[in-house]
Amino acid sequence: MIATTVSTLISPYGNKLVDLVVPTEEVDELKAQASHLASLQLSARSVCDLELLATGGFSPLDRFMGQEDHQRVLDEMRLTSGHLFPIPITLPVEAGSDIHLDQKIALRNAKNELLAVMTVEEIYEWDLAEVAQKVFGSQDLRHPLVSEMHRWGKLNISGQLQVLQLPRNYDFKELRLTPAETRAKLETMGHQNVVAFQTRNPLHRVHEELTKRAVQDVDGVLLLHPVVGMTKSGDVDHYTRVRTYKALAEEHYDPDRILLSLLPLAMRMAGPREALWHALIRRNYGATHLIVGRDHAGPGKDSNGNPFYGPYDAQELTEQHSDELGVKVVPFRALVYLPDEDRYEEMSKISDDTRTASISGTQVREEYLHAGKQLPSWFTRPEVAEILAESYPPRHQQGACIWFTGLSGAGKSTTAEVFTALLMEHGRQVTVLDGDVVRTHLSKGLGFSKEDRDINIRRIGFVAAELVRHGGVVICAAVSPYRATRNDVRNLVGQDHFIEVFVDTPLEVCESRDVKGMYAKARRGEIKDFTGIDDPYEAPLHAEVTLDTVNHTPEENAYVILDYLINQGFVRAFVPGNGHSKGHTNGKAN
Ligand code: ADP
Ligand code: ADP
């Protein structure tokens, strides 16, 4: 007997899952063709986007957007077909690159492995300010995507895609399910209602409670769908997170009611538009509901200290389009812990005199993880707390980047030298990346055009980010005159680990010091594009520390920065091994 299986799951958006992967029998021929084509190396973000285009995660979208789709997405959050699509998915390239209309190009990853072939049907300009304003509601460079977009190419290309190879991942393979594979698994679980939970953070008890309640309310299954593509820099890395999700899913959920699957999404931190996008993507994976919390996909605060989006904007926008999209919003209800009864309850259901307990996100980081103290089991399951403790050393063992910026001769190197000695005295290992020194090896050959300076700063930033990731303290001292580039490095290193020190010495003072005689040369026109003379210096608007080198000595200033780091927990207040014998010098025994 032949059984016709009718899916119990919601259909993909646009009714059909896009599938751009070429059939196996055509792969060899296309690969051979591709070896003669011009190549384009994709960014990590574009690789993620390509994967979701290829597997139908972005259905009905089947390519990087062309101009008309792009414009309508900006203006109305819709594709030209009328389907909702709130986030532009584009493939930017540099102007002047060797890409022409009606030609095929090979799309490769960072390791130059061939992923896809694109037929270039459109090449068009895009406007950064417009995209920033319409999609992110802001042009503030503290928005990670706004600052990232400054280094994207100025042209977008679009055209039919033939995908030869999905990006290869070797970690947690069994959990990396495409939309079709996710649907197949959900199908066997036999519930029509599927509640998706999007996350880029470790899950605590409150999330467990909330997801279990949501599943119970709709009598469905939970699609625990953490993002493992790109999240916000500074987030707990996905290896650690996935270990916690696995522990939770295996130990604390009914196996018939949960499916853990990893989503290779490159997040945009676009708040409301992003929440709607998450709902659309989850429909393609078979979900009928999406849990949307406070400040969903919010990037934190702007440069004036205000949140980019209102706390419920994301819920509201997603709800407005929920019927059309076919995905219902499950609002993240406020739950509190009742210590006397050892259980969680909805805030709205308890009387005013009930004793409650909570630990804020900031407290989790500051008072527990950074301090090396394990989270209590009512707050976080012990299996999860242990994994977090292992991967999250206390603050004074975490990395930090101290980024000095200021005019040539401002006193960056001089102050940095004193500061380095103080840090080492306080028991931290330090790497110094001085602009002048870096230019003799890592950046040898680079000049002072805007482009070369940006390359220099990004190289320093790249090295700094790696060192910080491995728990090192790195001191960078370069003029770094451009605000956007510095913000870029801030995001690369991670906001919480980046301390911008503005050495705010007036130009006249730097010029009168003229340590290397360069200002004199610049005034005579013998050096071009000299910062402060005929090239701009964009002072930081919100540096963590600002130094005055006219009224304070290098040593005084070094202590200002040290105090800041002690306050932040990156350095312990006492000198290890030094006891209380402050006046004791020269290492002589008393
Ligand atoms: P940069 O690294 O910013 O280009 P340097 O540290 O190489 O600047 O040069 C700063 C010059 O200014 C040094 O010669 C230093 O001795 C002098 N100077 C005078 N007062 C100060 C101060 N308070 N802080 C730092 N440098 C000072
Ligand atoms: P940037 O941050 O612009 O890459 P670096 O700190 O790496 O700058 O190098 C700046 C140093 O190079 C200055 O201290 C100065 O001595 C020297 N220099 C040479 N030409 C220029 C220039 N056109 N503008 C600024 N600094 C210059």
Side-chain angles (χ1 to χ4, degrees):
M1 197 177 79
I2 298 165
T4 40
T5 48
V6 178
S7 174
T8 54
L9 298 174
I10 189 170
S11 63
Y13 191 44
N15 277 324
K16 192 170 158 284
L17 272 185
V18 168
D19 178 2
L20 304 179
V21 182
V22 301
T24 330
E25 59 274 17
E26 293 169 26
V27 168
D28 286 343
E29 198 190 322
L30 198 56
K31 265 193 185 159
Q33 258 189 40
S35 64
H36 302 285
L37 300 176
S39 288
L40 179 68
Q41 209 175 37
L42 300 186
S43 65
R45 181 174 301 284
S46 295
V47 171
C48 288
D49 288 350
L50 179 70
E51 180 166 1
L52 287 181
L53 284 169
T55 59
F58 291 156
S59 301
L61 185 67
D62 66 355
R63 63 191 60 204
F64 292 102
M65 287 173 186
Q67 187 162 21
E68 281 183 30
D69 276 334
H70 184 242
Q71 194 60 46
R72 192 155 177 209
V73 164
L74 297 186
D75 295 333
E76 300 171 47
M77 303 198 301
R78 285 179 194 280
L79 301 172
T80 45
S81 61
H83 289 97
L84 282 166
F85 211 102
I87 298 286
I89 308 296
T90 54
L91 184 55
V93 297
E94 292 301 338
S97 48
D98 190 26
I99 293 174
H100 305 283
L101 281 179
D102 303 322
Q103 282 188 355
K104 290 189 174 190
I105 54 167
L107 306 184
R108 298 178 184 275
N109 66 10
K111 285 177 273 174
N112 277 320
E113 291 161 344
L114 179 65
L115 298 178
V117 170
M118 179 197 253
T119 310
V120 182
E121 294 165 35
E122 284 186 60
I123 305 178
Y124 62 97
E125 285 180 24
W126 62 283
D127 182 58
L128 197 156
E130 183 188 16
V131 175
Q133 205 58 52
K134 289 181 175 166
V135 179
F136 302 100
S138 171
Q139 295 183 44
D140 192 312
L141 292 169
R142 284 281 170 100
H143 193 295
L145 254 288
V146 175
S147 93
E148 185 187 304
M149 285 194 304
H150 277 266
R151 66 181 142 89
W152 292 1
K154 301 287 173 272
L155 300 174
N156 285 333
I157 60 173
S158 171
Q160 195 209 351
L161 291 169
Q162 293 166 287
V163 177
L164 289 154
Q165 169 71 58
L166 292 177
R168 268 184 235 197
N169 290 291
Y170 301 100
D171 56 322
F172 305 113
K173 265 182 148 160
E174 74 287 3
L175 300 177
R176 293 180 177 269
L177 308 176
T178 62
E181 289 164 348
T182 307
R183 284 174 164 273
K185 289 221 173 184
L186 287 171
E187 202 82 64
T188 65
M189 297 175 85
H191 294 272
Q192 215 168 353
N193 283 333
V194 175
V195 185
F197 188 67
Q198 137 82 31
T199 183
R200 43 173 263 263
N201 286 307
L203 302 187
H204 300 293
R205 279 289 300 279
V206 69
H207 303 105
E208 181 187 326
E209 288 293 328
L210 168 101
T211 48
K212 284 180 174 168
R213 276 162 203 252
V215 166
Q216 209 166 30
D217 287 352
V218 306
D219 185 25
V221 295
L222 177 68
L223 174 60
L224 180 54
H225 214 196
V227 174
V228 296
M230 291 173 79
T231 63
K232 211 180 140 199
S233 57
D235 282 349
V236 177
D237 66 274
H238 84 262
Y239 298 100
T240 306
R241 286 191 289 118
V242 176
R243 281 188 285 135
T244 68
Y245 305 138
K246 276 182 75 163
L248 257 187
E250 283 162 17
E251 302 293 326
H252 297 286
Y253 284 82
D254 173 353
D256 297 332
R257 296 279 181 165
I258 185 168
L259 177 63
L260 171 59
S261 163
L262 310 183
L263 181 65
L265 175 70
M267 288 182 71
R268 268 51 173 193
M269 309 313 294
R273 277 192 182 226
E274 177 125 3
L276 185 61
W277 188 43
H278 288 174
L280 185 159
I281 295 167
R282 269 38 178 250
R283 169 157 173 187
N284 288 326
Y285 280 85
T288 49
H289 294 72
L290 174 72
I291 298 177
V292 182
R294 217 178 158 280
D295 195 25
H296 189 100
K301 306 232 166 101
D302 66 16
S303 53
N304 295 315
N306 300 318
F308 279 94
Y309 311 111
Y312 299 105
D313 292 0
Q315 275 177 8
E316 279 166 21
L317 187 76
T318 316
E319 241 150 33
Q320 273 170 30
H321 297 281
S322 149
D323 284 346
E324 182 180 349
L325 201 55
V327 179
K328 293 192 182 64
V329 174
V330 181
F332 195 134
R333 278 166 297 188
L335 294 176
V336 284
Y337 179 68
L338 310 179
D340 297 327
E341 299 168 49
D342 186 25
R343 66 183 184 92
Y344 280 80
E345 187 49 277
E346 273 176 53
M347 196 93 100
S348 56
K349 290 194 182 154
I350 56 169
S351 60
D352 289 345
D353 55 356
T354 313
R355 218 159 63 88
T356 64
S358 64
I359 302 177
S360 71
T362 313
Q363 281 175 310
V364 168
R365 286 190 300 274
E366 306 285 330
E367 291 175 28
Y368 289 87
L369 297 177
H370 292 170
K373 195 166 137 193
Q374 186 147 338
L375 288 157
S377 60
W378 65 263
F379 185 79
T380 302
R381 294 285 188 186
E383 297 89 336
V384 174
E386 270 166 37
I387 297 169
L388 289 180
E390 272 171 29
S391 312
Y392 224 103
R395 212 30 166 336
H396 70 267
Q397 289 171 7
Q398 285 179 31
C401 171
I402 296 94
W403 188 279
F404 288 79
T405 172
L407 294 169
S408 174
K412 300 180 297 295
S413 309
T414 308
T415 314
E417 192 185 342
V418 181
F419 178 57
T420 303
L422 296 184
L423 275 177
M424 309 228 340
E425 183 193 13
H426 279 73
R428 296 235 51 171
Q429 294 301 316
V430 184
T431 304
V432 180
L433 300 173
D434 185 283
D436 282 322
V437 181
V438 168
R439 280 175 176 280
T440 65
H441 42 79
L442 185 63
S443 287
K444 192 169 174 164
L446 289 181
F448 289 89
S449 64
K450 176 161 194 319
E451 203 187 8
D452 276 9
R453 284 174 191 253
D454 281 348
I455 296 172
N456 180 38
I457 296 306
R458 292 220 168 85
R459 282 187 192 167
I460 298 177
F462 174 82
V463 177
E466 287 299 304
L467 290 164
V468 166
R469 221 154 53 79
H470 293 286
V473 175
V474 50
I475 296 178
C476 304
V479 175
S480 44
Y482 308 119
R483 203 173 285 140
T485 321
R486 290 195 306 265
N487 273 304
D488 231 14
V489 176
R490 175 185 288 274
N491 288 320
L492 190 65
V493 170
Q495 168 76 23
D496 292 345
H497 299 262
F498 190 81
I499 297 111
E500 191 170 7
V501 177
F502 177 27
V503 186
D504 186 10
T505 309
L507 177 64
E508 316 80 80
V509 178
C510 296
E511 202 167 352
S512 68
R513 288 180 187 163
D514 208 4
V515 196
K516 303 167 206 159
M518 289 199 148
Y519 282 98
K521 283 193 185 143
R523 285 289 180 200
R524 292 196 298 268
E526 293 164 22
I527 310 178
K528 291 269 171 271
D529 304 325
F530 197 84
T531 306
I533 307 295
D534 56 351
D535 203 67
Y537 177 77
E538 301 168 1
L541 299 175
H542 305 277
E544 276 71 17
V545 179
T546 298
L547 302 180
D548 169 356
T549 71
V550 175
N551 299 300
H552 295 283
T553 64
E555 199 171 348
E556 285 167 355
N557 281 332
Y559 271 102
V560 171
I561 315 169
L562 186 71
D563 283 346
Y564 181 86
L565 290 192
I566 289 174
N567 252 319
Q568 295 288 308
F570 284 113
V571 174
R572 281 182 288 186
F574 63 92
V575 178
N578 217 9
H580 300 286
S581 53
K582 251 206 139 179
H584 160 191
T585 52
N586 293 340
K588 286 184 193 144
N590 4 353

